[in-house]
Amino acid sequence: MHAWEKPVLRLDPANAPTAIAPAFQPVEALVGGFALTDFNDPARARAYADALDLWPHLAGAGEPTATDPLAELRDGVEKADPLGPVLGDLCRLHWLALRRRSVSVLEFGSGFSTVILAHAMRLLAGHFDGWARRHLRTEQPFHVHAVEEDPRYQALTRERLGPALQPHATVTRSSVELITHDNRFATVYSELPNIAPDLIYLDGPSQFATTARLNGFSIASPERMPMSADILRLEFFLEPGCVLIVDGRTQNARFLRSYFRRAWAYHHDRAGDIHLFELQEEPLGPINQRRLDFSLSQGWLL
C-alpha cells in the first residue's frame, strides 16, 4: 500500500437513499444513531439488535425452547458452536451493510454472519431493488454470496437462513488450494462467485481447509494461521467505495495490506479484533459515481 490523498466526495443528492426512497428515512436515522465503535459495547450491541429486531434470526437450530436460547448471546458471550454468534460482530456487520447501502456482498466463510447480512440485504431490497437494477452495474442487487469450505456448515447456514432470507443469500461450497503468491505461501478457494462486491467479509477459510503440501509446507497445523490471498486476485476488479472487513486474522490482514496496490484506507479496531479496509479512489465513471452517491451520503467510513 502507498500513501495517497483521500478523494473529495462530489455527490449528487438526487441519488441519496432518502431521495430515492423517502420511506427509508427512519432506517437511515436509526443507523446514524450508532458508530463503528459502539459494537464493542455489549449494551449498545443489544440496543441495535432490539431496534432492528434481529433476535429471531439469531436463534440456533435445535436449541431448547424451555429456556431463553439467546441468553448467552444477549450477554455477549461466544458459544462453543463453531458457528456460534458474537453479538457485537454481527450487529457491526449489519450496521456496515446498512450504512453503506451495500449492493453486493462477498463472504468468505458462512454462518450467522450470512443470516444477518441477508437480513440487511432484504431490508435494502425492499426500498431500492428497482432503482439499483435500473441505475447500477449489478445482476443480482442486494444479495450475499458466501463461499464455504465445509458442506456441513453450508447446509446449516442454508437452514438458518430460512424461507424469508434464502432469496437474499447464496451459499456455495468450494475446496481450498495451497498456492504461492509472490513466493509466499497462501490459500485460495478453487471457485468464487462471479460478482463485483462492494462489501467483503473475510472470515474463511480455516487453516485446516486443505492438507496439501508445497515444499514440505502445510498450512493444516496448529502452528500455522489462516492466510487467504483471494482478494489480491480480485483487487483490480473492485470499484472505489468497496469495504473489506477482516474478522481477526491479523497476520492475514497484514499480508493483504503489504500486497494491495490501490488506495486502501486501513483501520485496526483492536477492541473489536477486526481490520477494516476502504477503497478510497476517484470514481471510475458515471455508473460508479452513481453508486458512490448512493453509498457514501454519510461520507467515507475511515
Side-chain angles (χ1 to χ4, degrees), residues 15 131 135-136 285-295:
N15 293 321
W131 180 88
H135 296 289
L136 300 181
I287 298 177
N288 181 224
Q289 176 66 65
R290 203 174 296 134
R291 184 179 288 225
L292 295 178
D293 295 340
F294 177 64
S295 298

Side-chain angles (χ1 to χ4, degrees), residues 113-193:
S113 53
T114 315
V115 176
I116 285 302
L117 286 166
H119 180 275
M121 294 299 100
R122 183 180 67 172
L123 196 160
L124 290 167
H127 292 279
F128 304 113
D129 185 81
W131 180 88
R133 291 180 186 275
R134 292 191 304 272
H135 296 289
L136 300 181
R137 186 187 291 112
T138 177
E139 291 188 72
Q140 198 172 13
F142 307 111
H143 199 86
V144 182
H145 299 264
V147 56
E148 172 58 60
E149 72 201 55
D150 192 318
R152 296 169 300 169
Y153 295 161
Q154 177 193 32
L156 184 54
T157 299
R158 285 174 171 172
E159 179 183 343
R160 283 174 168 161
L161 283 165
L165 297 181
Q166 284 174 359
H168 300 282
T170 301
V171 186
T172 57
R173 184 186 172 274
S174 173
S175 58
V176 175
E177 302 172 13
L178 178 64
I179 65 162
T180 56
H181 177 89
D182 191 26
N183 211 33
R184 271 74 170 173
F185 294 114
T187 61
V188 294
Y189 284 99
S190 302
E191 296 283 341
L192 291 178

